[in-house]
Each structure stands twice: as structure tokens, then as C-alpha cells.
Amino acid sequence: PSVGSVREGKGERYLWGVVITTSCLSLQVGLLSGICLIVGTMIGSGIFISPKAVLLETGAVGPCLCVWAACGVLATLGALCYAELGTMITKSGGEYPYLMEAFGSVIAYLYSWSTIMVLKPSSFAIIALSFAEYASTPFYPGCTPPIVVTKCLAAACILLIVLVNCLSVKLASYVQNFFTAAKLLIILVIIVAGIVLLAQGNTENLSNPFEGASTSFGSIGLAFYNGLWAYDGWNQLNFITEELENPYRNLPLAIIIGIPLVSVCYVLVNIAYFSAMTPTELLQSPAVAVTFGDRVLYPLSWVVPLFVVFSTFGAANGSCFTAGRLTYVAGREGHMVKILSYISLKRCTPSPAIIFNGILAVFYIIPADINTLINYFSFAQWAFYGLTALALIVMRFTRKELKRPVKCPMPIAALVVIVSCYLVLAPIIDKPELEYLYCTIFILSGLLLYFPFVHRKFSWTRRVMRPITMHLQLLMEVVPPEKNE
């Protein structure tokens, strides 16, 4: 047909010579894969990097272990709120649909804007950089790998994971399941080795656990930041609710099994670290898990960095898997360009959204400083976690008609809101820095795009984007999603 013409044929519509059809994401994630997504995304680089940062801020072994345990409790309480929200509003996209229902389009847009453009790709980049550091270290014995090598390897990791997630949901799930099993194996090895050392009498580091503890308001907040970075991922299953088989059963069940499992593992791993290293030695170690392996598992110490590589790769895969779904849902709702909501016709994956997230992550590895990114990532992320818990409370009064297969006690949601406020405000009050202001300005800057392009929907933007969307659709063989009511 001629350009711009529309004709009917065999139950399909044709526009500009392109078949206009729709597709949807298929239900391919079961209970086991859901648990593996939660566990595999939570256990990434954090438990192998964050122990130093948590100990540095708390100043002693006792409060360090208490922070790790408290972070697990907080993650579990937050996940209980998300279990109610996820079974009440069965849409993918994590916090996005909940904020949309409770507070309207503006708050949901600001969340999608900051998360899609900064939080998700920077998290992906941080994990990929951790993967690259551990993977390249054996090739440079006695010295630090060149930054160029590390960043090129991180970029290759990102591109490989993007390819896997674009090819098949099942393939991405199999990759996630395999690497989750691998990381649980190395966690088990570290825990068993720690138990053996404690049984042999190596308990001196745990004898006066609260000596020299820090009581600073801001330091405890920063310790929680770094601990919660290791726990981040407890909400990942809510990003793929539409692809989860029987979400009313599998979503809360995966949360109940996955998060306590990770919490117990993290506390026991930290105890194992202190059975082999003093607090000073742990702080001086460039890679805590590797140092532990060198001391305890020799001559099999090479196993630890290998499995840490597996762990970080699996966490990066989970991060990419869920980030693509948020971008896809935001595009479907009109908060991002439409092409990001399209689905591969052959493979039923949101490939444009996944590719977009991967490209941003590659850009973020260029200037990345891991510790700085963790702090600012947590500052913004916990603001949205608090808003989401508040959304649960608000909808108890404004959306009483919605069915709630899982009901979280109101005091738990209120506690999550209060703790979120503390985690957002404590470091700012204790040690004000311009970076927090920059982060806030960036989030609010999304309004400059929201009002002309989303709220007013200027016609000229459609004329500009329509041919671009068409050519990208032809190039990637993607189609619009079915309407999700």
C-alpha cells in the first residue's frame, strides 16, 4: 500500500505497509523462578563489598551484626507491604502502578523518570563493575586491574545480559536460576567454614562486640544505607507481576521464602568473616570474601572469586530483567516514548525497553564510583519506598473496593514510612552535601518534560516521533502491547 494508507486484510490492519498487531508478555515465571529472582537479585555484590562499609560506620562488631539483622527485618516488613500491593494491583512495574493509583500521574511519572533514567541503570552499572573487578583481578596478580580493562569488561557484561534478556524470558529465567544456585553454594561454603572456625575457638572478635561502637545519628543511617544496598532486590518480583504464574499465591510465597533466607545467610556470612578476620583486617581488605577464602579455604581459595563473579553476574541479570519491565510499563502508560512499550513479536520480550536500559547502564560505568553511587542511589530509592508504603495506607481509605488477598497490618506500613523518612533525612541532617540537593533537583526536573509532553501532549511531538517509532518498529520487529485494564 502507499505511504499513509490503511487497509484491512485477513483480520489484520496495515499502516504504512506494516501489520498492526498487538502482543503481550507471556506467563513464564513460576514460584521457583520467582524465589530465584528475589534471592539472586538480593545476593549480588553487596555481601562481598558492603561488610566493610557497614563496619566502618558502626565502629564495632556487635552493632555491625545488629544492622545486618535489622536490615533483613526492614526488608521483610517492606516486602509484606509490597505483597499486599502486588496482589491488589496485579500490574508489572514495581512501585509505579501503586503510586499511580494512590497519588496520580505526576508522582508516578517522577518515580519512572528518576528510576528509569538513573536508579535502575546505575544499579545495573554498579553490579557490572563489581563483576568486572572480581573477574579481572586473577589476571593481574599483585596489582589492581587497569580501570580501562575493568570498565570494558563491565560493558561487555551489560551487553551480554541485555542480549540474553532480549532473546527469551525462559532463557533469562534459566540463567537466573543457575547463578542463584551458584551463589547459594558459595554462601553455604563460607558459612560452614565460619562454623568450623568458631568451633575451633576462634571467637575473640566476638567477645566484646560493642566496644568502640559509633552512636552518631548520621553514621547509623549510612550503615543502614550500605546494609540495605546488599538487601536491595526484595521488591523485584513486583516488577514482573504480569508474567508471574498465579501471582495471588506465588508473589507472597516467594517473598516469605526468599527474603528470610537471604537475611539469615547475610548475618551468618558476616559472623563467618569475623571468625577469620579482626575488624581492622576486615576494613583493610580490598575484597572481604576473597581475603576470607585465602585464609580459610587454601588451596581452594580460587573458588571464592569465581563464585563471586557468578553471583554478581546473576544479580546483574535480575536487575536488567526487572528494569526492562518498568520501562515497558511506563511507555505503555504514556510516560515514556511509545517504542519503549513495544514487545518483540517473535520472542515476547520487551526488547526496546531492555536495550534502552542497557545503553544507559553502559554510559553510567564511565564515571562510576561505587560507594558514592550507593549512597545517592539509596537516598532516592528509599524516598520512593516510603511513598509506596504510604500509598498502601492511603488506598486503605480511598480504594476500599479493591480486593486484598494478602493484607499487611497497618502498623507495619506506618513503620516502613517512618524508617524511610529516617533513612532519607538522617545523612542529610548529619552531613549535608550538595549531591543530595542535585539528586532532588534531578527528580523534580522531570516536571519540565511531564507538562509539555505527557500532560499537554503537544501534537508536534507526535509528528516527530511517529516516523521514528515506525522505523524502529521495523528494525526490531516489535509490536504494541495489548491494553492492560
Side-chain angles (χ1 to χ4, degrees), residues 245-298:
E245 296 173 357
N246 191 5
Y248 301 108
R249 170 184 176 271
N250 290 341
L251 178 64
L253 199 56
I255 286 171
I256 291 169
I257 295 171
I259 298 174
L261 173 64
V262 174
S263 303
V264 171
C265 287
Y266 277 3
V267 173
L268 293 178
V269 164
N270 276 276
I271 292 173
Y273 287 155
F274 288 118
S275 70
M277 290 177 275
T278 65
T280 303
E281 289 171 336
L282 191 144
L283 290 173
Q284 292 174 347
S285 169
V288 179
V290 174
T291 302
F292 180 88
D294 289 340
R295 292 190 176 191
V296 179
L297 302 177
Y298 186 83

Coordinates of all heavy atoms in Angstrom, one line a residue, residues 245-298:
E245 N 3.2 -16.6 37.2 CA 2.1 -17.6 37.2 C 1.4 -17.5 38.6 O 2.1 -17.5 39.6 CB 2.6 -19.0 37.0 CG 3.2 -19.2 35.6 CD 3.9 -20.6 35.5 OE1 3.9 -21.3 36.5 OE2 4.4 -20.9 34.4
N246 N 0.1 -17.4 38.6 CA -0.7 -17.3 39.8 C -0.1 -16.3 40.8 O 0.3 -16.7 41.9 CB -0.8 -18.7 40.4 CG -1.9 -18.8 41.6 OD1 -2.6 -17.8 41.8 ND2 -2.0 -19.9 42.2
P247 N -0.1 -15.0 40.5 CA 0.5 -14.1 41.4 C -0.1 -14.0 42.8 O 0.6 -13.7 43.7 CB 0.4 -12.7 40.6 CG -0.8 -12.9 39.7 CD -0.7 -14.4 39.3
Y248 N -1.4 -14.3 42.9 CA -2.0 -14.2 44.2 C -1.4 -15.2 45.2 O -1.4 -15.0 46.4 CB -3.5 -14.5 44.1 CG -4.2 -13.5 43.2 CD1 -4.6 -13.9 41.9 CD2 -4.4 -12.2 43.5 CE1 -5.3 -13.0 41.1 CE2 -5.0 -11.3 42.7 CZ -5.4 -11.7 41.4 OH -6.0 -10.8 40.6
R249 N -0.9 -16.3 44.7 CA -0.2 -17.3 45.5 C 1.3 -17.2 45.5 O 1.9 -17.2 46.6 CB -0.6 -18.7 45.1 CG 0.2 -19.9 45.7 CD -0.1 -21.2 45.1 NE 0.7 -22.3 45.7 CZ 1.8 -22.7 45.1 NH1 2.3 -22.0 44.1 NH2 2.5 -23.7 45.7
N250 N 1.9 -17.1 44.3 CA 3.3 -17.1 44.2 C 4.0 -15.9 44.6 O 5.2 -16.0 45.1 CB 3.7 -17.5 42.7 CG 3.3 -18.9 42.3 OD1 3.1 -19.7 43.2 ND2 3.2 -19.1 41.1
L251 N 3.4 -14.7 44.5 CA 4.1 -13.5 44.9 C 4.3 -13.5 46.4 O 5.5 -13.3 46.8 CB 3.3 -12.3 44.5 CG 3.8 -10.9 44.9 CD1 5.2 -10.6 44.2 CD2 2.9 -9.8 44.5
P252 N 3.3 -13.6 47.3 CA 3.6 -13.6 48.7 C 4.4 -14.8 49.2 O 5.3 -14.7 50.1 CB 2.2 -13.6 49.4 CG 1.3 -14.1 48.3 CD 1.9 -13.7 47.0
L253 N 4.3 -16.0 48.5 CA 5.0 -17.2 48.9 C 6.5 -17.0 48.6 O 7.4 -17.3 49.4 CB 4.4 -18.4 48.2 CG 4.8 -19.8 48.8 CD1 4.4 -19.8 50.3 CD2 4.1 -20.9 48.0
A254 N 6.8 -16.4 47.4 CA 8.2 -16.2 47.1 C 8.9 -15.2 48.0 O 10.0 -15.4 48.4 CB 8.3 -15.7 45.6
I255 N 8.1 -14.2 48.4 CA 8.6 -13.2 49.4 C 8.9 -13.8 50.7 O 10.0 -13.6 51.3 CB 7.6 -12.0 49.5 CG1 7.7 -11.2 48.2 CG2 7.9 -11.2 50.7 CD1 6.6 -10.1 48.1
I256 N 7.9 -14.6 51.2 CA 8.1 -15.2 52.6 C 9.2 -16.2 52.6 O 9.9 -16.3 53.6 CB 6.7 -16.0 52.9 CG1 5.6 -14.9 53.2 CG2 6.9 -16.8 54.2 CD1 4.3 -15.6 53.3
I257 N 9.5 -16.9 51.5 CA 10.6 -17.8 51.5 C 11.9 -17.1 51.2 O 13.0 -17.4 51.9 CB 10.4 -18.9 50.4 CG1 9.2 -19.8 50.7 CG2 11.6 -19.8 50.2 CD1 8.7 -20.7 49.6
G258 N 12.0 -16.2 50.2 CA 13.2 -15.7 49.7 C 13.9 -14.7 50.7 O 15.1 -14.8 50.9
I259 N 13.2 -13.8 51.2 CA 13.8 -12.7 52.0 C 14.4 -13.2 53.3 O 15.5 -12.9 53.7 CB 12.9 -11.5 52.2 CG1 12.5 -10.9 50.8 CG2 13.5 -10.4 53.0 CD1 11.5 -9.8 50.8
P260 N 13.6 -14.0 54.1 CA 14.2 -14.5 55.4 C 15.4 -15.4 55.1 O 16.4 -15.4 55.9 CB 13.1 -15.3 56.0 CG 11.8 -14.7 55.5 CD 12.2 -14.3 54.1
L261 N 15.4 -16.1 54.0 CA 16.6 -17.0 53.6 C 17.8 -16.1 53.4 O 18.9 -16.4 53.9 CB 16.2 -17.7 52.3 CG 17.4 -18.5 51.7 CD1 17.9 -19.6 52.6 CD2 17.0 -19.1 50.3
V262 N 17.6 -15.0 52.7 CA 18.8 -14.1 52.4 C 19.2 -13.5 53.7 O 20.4 -13.3 54.0 CB 18.4 -13.0 51.4 CG1 19.5 -12.0 51.3 CG2 18.1 -13.7 50.0
S263 N 18.3 -13.1 54.6 CA 18.6 -12.4 55.9 C 19.5 -13.3 56.7 O 20.5 -12.9 57.3 CB 17.3 -12.0 56.6 OG 16.5 -11.2 55.8
V264 N 19.1 -14.5 56.9 CA 19.8 -15.5 57.7 C 21.2 -15.7 57.1 O 22.2 -15.7 57.8 CB 19.1 -16.8 57.8 CG1 20.0 -17.9 58.4 CG2 17.8 -16.7 58.6
C265 N 21.3 -15.9 55.8 CA 22.6 -16.0 55.1 C 23.5 -14.9 55.4 O 24.7 -15.1 55.7 CB 22.4 -16.2 53.6 SG 21.7 -17.8 53.1
Y266 N 23.0 -13.6 55.3 CA 23.8 -12.5 55.4 C 24.4 -12.3 56.8 O 25.6 -12.1 57.0 CB 23.0 -11.2 55.1 CG 22.9 -10.9 53.6 CD1 23.5 -11.7 52.7 CD2 22.3 -9.7 53.2 CE1 23.4 -11.4 51.3 CE2 22.2 -9.4 51.9 CZ 22.8 -10.2 50.9 OH 22.7 -9.9 49.6
V267 N 23.6 -12.6 57.9 CA 24.1 -12.5 59.2 C 25.1 -13.6 59.5 O 26.2 -13.3 60.1 CB 22.9 -12.6 60.2 CG1 23.5 -12.7 61.7 CG2 22.0 -11.4 60.1
L268 N 24.9 -14.8 59.0 CA 25.8 -15.9 59.2 C 27.1 -15.7 58.5 O 28.2 -16.0 59.0 CB 25.2 -17.2 58.8 CG 24.0 -17.7 59.7 CD1 23.4 -19.0 59.2 CD2 24.5 -17.9 61.2
V269 N 27.1 -15.1 57.3 CA 28.3 -14.8 56.5 C 29.1 -13.8 57.2 O 30.4 -13.9 57.3 CB 27.9 -14.4 55.1 CG1 29.1 -13.7 54.4 CG2 27.4 -15.5 54.2
N270 N 28.5 -12.8 57.8 CA 29.3 -11.7 58.5 C 29.9 -12.3 59.8 O 31.0 -12.0 60.1 CB 28.3 -10.6 58.9 CG 28.2 -9.6 57.7 OD1 29.1 -8.7 57.6 ND2 27.2 -9.7 56.9
I271 N 29.2 -13.2 60.4 CA 29.8 -13.9 61.6 C 31.0 -14.7 61.1 O 32.1 -14.7 61.8 CB 28.8 -14.8 62.3 CG1 27.7 -13.9 63.0 CG2 29.4 -15.7 63.4 CD1 26.5 -14.7 63.6
A272 N 30.9 -15.4 60.0 CA 32.0 -16.2 59.5 C 33.2 -15.3 59.1 O 34.3 -15.7 59.4 CB 31.5 -16.9 58.2
Y273 N 32.9 -14.1 58.6 CA 34.0 -13.2 58.3 C 34.8 -12.8 59.6 O 36.0 -12.8 59.6 CB 33.5 -11.9 57.7 CG 33.0 -12.0 56.3 CD1 32.1 -11.1 55.7 CD2 33.5 -13.0 55.4 CE1 31.7 -11.2 54.4 CE2 33.1 -13.0 54.1 CZ 32.2 -12.1 53.6 OH 31.8 -12.2 52.3
F274 N 34.1 -12.5 60.7 CA 34.7 -12.2 61.9 C 35.4 -13.3 62.6 O 36.2 -13.1 63.5 CB 33.7 -11.5 62.9 CG 33.3 -10.1 62.4 CD1 31.9 -9.8 62.1 CD2 34.2 -9.1 62.3 CE1 31.6 -8.6 61.7 CE2 33.8 -7.8 61.9 CZ 32.5 -7.6 61.6
S275 N 35.0 -14.5 62.2 CA 35.7 -15.7 62.8 C 37.1 -15.8 62.2 O 38.0 -16.5 62.8 CB 34.9 -17.0 62.5 OG 35.0 -17.3 61.2
A276 N 37.4 -15.2 61.1 CA 38.7 -15.4 60.4 C 39.5 -14.0 60.4 O 40.7 -14.1 60.2 CB 38.5 -15.9 59.0
M277 N 38.8 -12.9 60.6 CA 39.5 -11.6 60.5 C 39.1 -10.7 61.7 O 37.9 -10.7 62.1 CB 39.1 -10.9 59.2 CG 39.7 -11.5 57.9 SD 39.1 -10.7 56.4 CE 37.5 -11.5 56.2
T278 N 40.0 -9.9 62.1 CA 39.7 -8.9 63.1 C 39.0 -7.7 62.4 O 39.1 -7.6 61.1 CB 40.9 -8.3 63.8 OG1 41.7 -7.6 62.8 CG2 41.7 -9.4 64.4
P279 N 38.3 -6.8 63.1 CA 37.6 -5.7 62.4 C 38.6 -4.9 61.6 O 38.3 -4.4 60.5 CB 37.0 -4.9 63.6 CG 36.7 -5.9 64.6 CD 37.9 -6.9 64.5
T280 N 39.8 -4.6 62.2 CA 40.8 -3.9 61.4 C 41.2 -4.6 60.1 O 41.3 -3.9 59.1 CB 42.1 -3.6 62.3 OG1 41.7 -3.0 63.5 CG2 43.1 -2.8 61.6
E281 N 41.4 -5.9 60.2 CA 41.8 -6.6 59.0 C 40.7 -6.6 58.0 O 40.9 -6.5 56.8 CB 42.2 -8.0 59.4 CG 43.5 -8.2 60.1 CD 43.7 -9.6 60.7 OE1 42.7 -10.3 60.9 OE2 44.8 -10.0 60.9
L282 N 39.5 -6.7 58.4 CA 38.3 -6.6 57.5 C 38.3 -5.3 56.8 O 38.0 -5.2 55.6 CB 37.0 -6.9 58.2 CG 35.8 -7.2 57.4 CD1 34.9 -8.3 58.0 CD2 35.0 -5.9 57.2
L283 N 38.5 -4.2 57.5 CA 38.5 -2.9 56.9 C 39.6 -2.7 55.9 O 39.4 -1.9 55.0 CB 38.5 -1.8 58.0 CG 37.3 -1.7 58.9 CD1 37.5 -0.7 60.1 CD2 36.1 -1.2 58.1
Q284 N 40.7 -3.3 56.2 CA 41.9 -3.1 55.3 C 41.8 -4.1 54.1 O 42.6 -3.9 53.1 CB 43.2 -3.4 56.1 CG 43.5 -2.4 57.1 CD 44.7 -2.7 58.0 OE1 45.1 -3.8 58.0 NE2 45.2 -1.7 58.8
S285 N 40.9 -5.0 54.1 CA 40.9 -6.0 53.0 C 40.3 -5.3 51.7 O 39.2 -4.7 51.8 CB 40.0 -7.2 53.4 OG 39.7 -8.0 52.3
P286 N 40.9 -5.5 50.6 CA 40.3 -4.9 49.3 C 39.1 -5.7 48.9 O 38.2 -5.1 48.2 CB 41.5 -5.1 48.3 CG 42.3 -6.2 48.9 CD 42.2 -6.1 50.4
A287 N 39.0 -7.0 49.2 CA 37.9 -7.8 48.9 C 37.7 -8.8 50.0 O 38.4 -9.8 50.1 CB 38.1 -8.5 47.5
V288 N 36.7 -8.5 50.8 CA 36.5 -9.3 52.1 C 36.4 -10.8 51.8 O 37.0 -11.6 52.5 CB 35.3 -8.7 52.8 CG1 35.1 -9.5 54.1 CG2 35.4 -7.3 53.2
A289 N 35.5 -11.1 50.9 CA 35.2 -12.6 50.6 C 36.5 -13.3 50.1 O 36.8 -14.4 50.5 CB 34.1 -12.7 49.6
V290 N 37.3 -12.6 49.3 CA 38.5 -13.2 48.7 C 39.5 -13.4 49.8 O 40.2 -14.4 49.9 CB 39.0 -12.3 47.6 CG1 40.4 -12.8 47.1 CG2 38.1 -12.2 46.4
T291 N 39.7 -12.4 50.7 CA 40.6 -12.5 51.8 C 40.2 -13.7 52.7 O 41.1 -14.4 53.2 CB 40.6 -11.2 52.6 OG1 41.0 -10.1 51.8 CG2 41.6 -11.3 53.8
F292 N 38.9 -13.8 53.0 CA 38.4 -14.9 53.8 C 38.8 -16.2 53.1 O 39.3 -17.2 53.8 CB 36.9 -14.8 53.9 CG 36.3 -16.0 54.7 CD1 36.2 -15.9 56.1 CD2 35.8 -17.1 54.1 CE1 35.6 -16.9 56.8 CE2 35.3 -18.1 54.8 CZ 35.2 -18.1 56.2
G293 N 38.6 -16.3 51.8 CA 39.0 -17.6 51.1 C 40.4 -17.9 51.1 O 40.8 -19.0 51.3
D294 N 41.3 -16.8 51.0 CA 42.7 -17.0 51.0 C 43.2 -17.6 52.4 O 44.1 -18.4 52.5 CB 43.5 -15.7 50.8 CG 43.3 -15.3 49.3 OD1 43.0 -16.1 48.5 OD2 43.5 -14.1 49.0
R295 N 42.5 -17.2 53.5 CA 42.9 -17.6 54.8 C 42.3 -18.9 55.2 O 43.0 -19.7 55.9 CB 42.5 -16.5 55.8 CG 43.2 -15.2 55.7 CD 42.9 -14.3 56.9 NE 43.6 -13.1 56.8 CZ 43.7 -12.2 57.8 NH1 43.1 -12.5 58.9 NH2 44.4 -11.1 57.6
V296 N 41.1 -19.2 54.8 CA 40.4 -20.4 55.3 C 40.4 -21.6 54.3 O 40.4 -22.7 54.7 CB 39.0 -20.0 55.7 CG1 38.2 -21.1 56.2 CG2 39.0 -18.8 56.7
L297 N 40.3 -21.3 53.0 CA 40.0 -22.3 52.0 C 41.2 -22.7 51.2 O 41.1 -23.5 50.3 CB 38.9 -21.9 51.1 CG 37.5 -21.5 51.8 CD1 36.5 -21.0 50.7 CD2 37.0 -22.7 52.5
Y298 N 42.4 -22.2 51.5 CA 43.6 -22.5 50.8 C 43.8 -24.0 50.8 O 43.7 -24.6 51.9 CB 44.8 -21.8 51.3 CG 46.0 -21.9 50.5 CD1 46.3 -21.2 49.4 CD2 47.0 -22.9 50.9 CE1 47.4 -21.4 48.6 CE2 48.1 -23.1 50.1 CZ 48.3 -22.3 49.0 OH 49.5 -22.5 48.2

